[in-house]
Amino acid sequence: MKPVPLVLLITSVLLTTHVPLSTCRPRDLNLINNQLDDVLLNRAGDDAMSYLLLYLQRNLGAQKAADVLHLQHFSTPQLRSDNSLEELTEFSKRNDDPPISIDLTFHLLRNMIEMARIENQREQAELNRKYLDEVGK
Amino acid sequence: MALFKVWFSSLIATMYIFWVSTFSCLDLPLFLSGCLDMVAVEGQFTFTAERPQLNCAVFFIGEPSDIISIEYNSVNIDCRGGDFIKVFDGWVMKGEKFPSTQDHPLPLYERYSDYCETGVTRPIVRSSQNVAMLFFRLHQSGSSFTVTFRKLINPFPCNVVSQTPEGSFTMIIPQQHRNCSFSIIYPVEIQIGELSLGQHNDLKRSILGCAGSGDFVELLGGNGMDTSKMFPMADLCYSFNGPAQMKVGCDNTVVRMVSSGKFVNRVSFQYRLLGHQELQQMKGNSVEDVCLRA
């Protein structure tokens, strides 16, 4: 076997065993269009949710992480068993998806509301301070 | 020839990875690099995709007496390329909607408004209650959109999600044939201070409970957002004064009023968070597994 294809095959095997979850995006065009390294390195989004998920996956394992966060895919047609790249591209581009949902636990939702409330109170306090400053003049 | 071999090998490798990923994906979450936010302040918000963002959602919440107004200011997305921005009138979590289809004036498909379909002609979308959410998908990095979020006053709030685990509220349904739910996404003790159903105290509670009555209040408990899938903890179909309290040890506690439209119905209640010890005690006392009640 020629060295270059062999190296590529070995690399892909090694990389696959380390990041199976990151490539779990059947509806993600990235998987098809972008470079290998882009697919593998850019999954860590800079929002709390993905960091949390990655942390949990690394420490608890994939299935437990899913259980803890009660994360499921969107309620859309089952594509995961479909290997066809063309169908995938077409589905991703299709605009008329069935009603969309999001999967969150109540715990996460409560935390998000709490943070949003704090932000709201901070803004209100700022506004009040401005009004009082104006009145004082 | 060598270049062809390299290309071909890369293709095989990519397909192999994809093929393997479909097997390992079977029970795994797909919502990996999604973007998520909760907004309670008014203002203008701009989102710019630095890389493709495929599963994003922004939750909006106001005070109980607010309704949400979302206005598209500048939108730079590729609708034909599969990008979308959709506003949902309510909240939807794990496929469960608040308000439920029974409690919302509009049919489900009308509660989603898609920017790509109606955003240009109808740039302002209003919710029917104090919660709304926005879903979006942007394939190209550099795509962006700006929305202005405002809170407007709703004189007769019907469906509400409480921002806090403690508080009080008075729900009034003034001669309207509708159902209203006040959702507290915490295990709480509810204390109903006053219930006024109809102008006369002639509504009788039948042996079968409140089922036959067109006007009643029910306490629901459950672990999802959809009130139609929650368990009834208690129901009240006669007016009374003086506190009646109940502890509901579920993730979501709802006070729901069903109104026939013949009367002005009013219910006042307070609620406070159940402490960990209280919940443990309830768990110890309870035989059933269906949330906890005391």
Side-chain angles (χ1 to χ4, degrees):
Chain A
M1 210 179 176
K2 296 283 165 63
V4 174
L6 180 65
V7 165
L8 277 168
L9 192 60
I10 291 171
T11 316
S12 64
V13 167
L14 287 171
L15 289 168
T16 313
T17 54
H18 280 296
V19 243
L21 300 170
S22 304
T23 57
C24 280
R25 301 289 297 279
R27 295 172 70 212
D28 185 354
L29 278 181
N30 278 349
L31 203 57
I32 306 146
N33 296 339
N34 291 8
Q35 306 277 339
L36 260 180
D37 49 3
D38 190 44
V39 167
L40 298 169
L41 295 174
N42 285 358
R43 277 300 155 262
D46 45 11
D47 57 271
M49 186 75 158
S50 11
Y51 275 137
L52 179 62
L53 184 60
L54 281 168
Y55 172 82
L56 285 172
Q57 281 167 354
R58 282 198 195 112
N59 290 286
L60 298 180
Q63 193 49 52
K64 266 202 166 171
D67 291 341
V68 165
L69 291 181
H70 297 285
L71 288 178
Q72 296 159 31
H73 64 97
F74 281 1
S75 48
T76 52
Q78 291 285 346
L79 262 196
R80 289 173 302 197
S81 51
D82 200 338
N83 289 350
S84 165
L85 283 173
E86 294 85 26
E87 264 194 54
L88 215 59
T89 320
E90 195 206 297
F91 182 86
S92 305
K93 288 205 151 129
R94 210 186 299 152
N95 234 348
D96 53 348
D97 298 339
I100 303 169
S101 179
I102 186 172
D103 296 340
L104 275 185
T105 58
F106 274 115
H107 182 69
L108 274 170
L109 190 69
R110 288 166 192 154
N111 283 343
M112 284 167 65
I113 295 176
E114 190 56 37
M115 291 193 295
R117 270 190 62 236
I118 291 169
E119 189 193 350
N120 193 12
Q121 283 170 348
R122 208 177 288 151
E123 282 236 355
Q124 258 323 114
E126 261 309 307
L127 275 173
N128 290 347
R129 205 173 299 135
K130 278 188 197 163
Y131 292 146
L132 287 173
D133 282 345
E134 281 299 316
V135 167
K137 281 175 191 165
Chain B
M1 187 59 189
L3 205 63
F4 171 77
K5 282 182 184 166
V6 170
W7 172 83
F8 187 71
S9 310
S10 312
L11 180 68
I12 295 294
T14 314
M15 289 182 74
Y16 172 74
I17 287 175
F18 178 74
W19 176 72
V20 169
S21 72
T22 56
F23 283 94
S24 46
C25 270
L26 285 173
D27 284 299
L28 293 171
L30 299 183
F31 197 83
L32 285 180
S33 61
C35 22
L36 208 52
D37 206 355
M38 171 81 65
V39 173
V41 295
E42 283 188 328
Q44 203 171 67
F45 299 91
T46 300
F47 185 89
T48 308
E50 284 163 27
R51 59 177 193 283
Q53 298 282 10
L54 302 181
N55 305 313
C56 298
V58 182
F59 289 81
F60 296 103
I61 185 166
E63 298 302 312
S65 57
D66 289 338
I67 58 168
I68 314 278
S69 150
I70 296 169
E71 181 181 359
Y72 300 110
N73 297 126
S74 63
V75 178
N76 173 24
I77 67 173
D78 180 15
C79 288
R80 288 229 190 103
D83 289 356
F84 63 74
I85 306 173
K86 295 190 203 222
V87 174
F88 180 70
D89 186 0
W91 275 3
V92 53
M93 254 172 59
K94 295 185 198 168
E96 294 195 12
K97 297 156 276 300
F98 181 87
S100 70
T101 42
Q102 294 172 347
D103 297 350
H104 199 278
L106 300 173
L108 184 61
Y109 64 90
E110 278 190 41
R111 291 167 68 178
Y112 284 94
S113 49
D114 192 334
Y115 171 81
C116 291
E117 285 167 22
T118 55
V120 180
T121 50
R122 202 162 59 98
I124 304 182
V125 181
R126 282 211 185 128
S127 72
S128 313
Q129 60 287 313
N130 78 324
V131 291
M133 63 191 298
L134 198 136
F135 295 99
F136 61 95
R137 173 177 296 167
L138 305 175
H139 288 100
Q140 304 284 344
S141 77
S143 301
S144 68
F145 64 92
T146 302
V147 290
T148 301
F149 163 58
R150 292 226 187 286
K151 297 187 258 185
L152 310 171
I153 293 292
N154 182 6
F156 290 107
C158 177
N159 294 301
V160 176
V161 174
S162 175
Q163 287 191 28
T164 52
E166 326 229 309
S168 60
F169 190 71
T170 298
M171 186 189 286
I172 303 174
I173 306 184
Q175 288 187 301
Q176 288 172 349
H177 176 48
R178 64 189 307 193
N179 311 320
C180 297
S181 298
F182 188 96
S183 171
I184 307 158
I185 51 167
Y186 293 91
V188 291
E189 180 185 51
I190 301 247
Q191 203 182 60
I192 298 187
E194 189 212 333
L195 174 59
S196 166
L197 294 168
Q199 284 156 346
H200 313 289
N201 240 337
D202 56 358
L203 295 168
K204 297 276 185 290
R205 187 192 176 97
S206 76
I207 297 167
L208 299 165
C210 293
S213 174
D215 298 74
F216 61 91
V217 164
E218 55 182 0
L219 282 190
L220 307 170
N223 297 323
M225 290 299 300
D226 193 333
T227 52
S228 64
K229 295 187 178 142
M230 293 169 69
F231 309 105
M233 299 280 156
D235 53 5
L236 304 156
C237 41
Y238 52 88
S239 304
F240 69 89
N241 273 319
Q245 51 219 36
M246 184 161 194
K247 293 183 185 178
V248 180
C250 300
D251 275 335
N252 191 6
T253 307
V254 170
V255 179
R256 183 168 182 263
M257 184 185 274
V258 173
S259 181
S260 64
K262 294 182 205 156
F263 312 110
V264 175
N265 295 328
R266 187 173 75 237
V267 61
S268 294
F269 56 91
Q270 292 178 310
Y271 49 100
R272 63 164 188 89
L273 184 66
L274 285 177
H276 184 70
Q277 273 193 325
E278 283 179 285
L279 282 170
Q280 289 299 104
Q281 208 173 31
M282 285 166 70
K283 214 174 185 177
N285 293 344
S286 171
V287 177
E288 305 162 15
D289 205 20
V290 165
C291 298
L292 304 160
R293 62 180 106 169

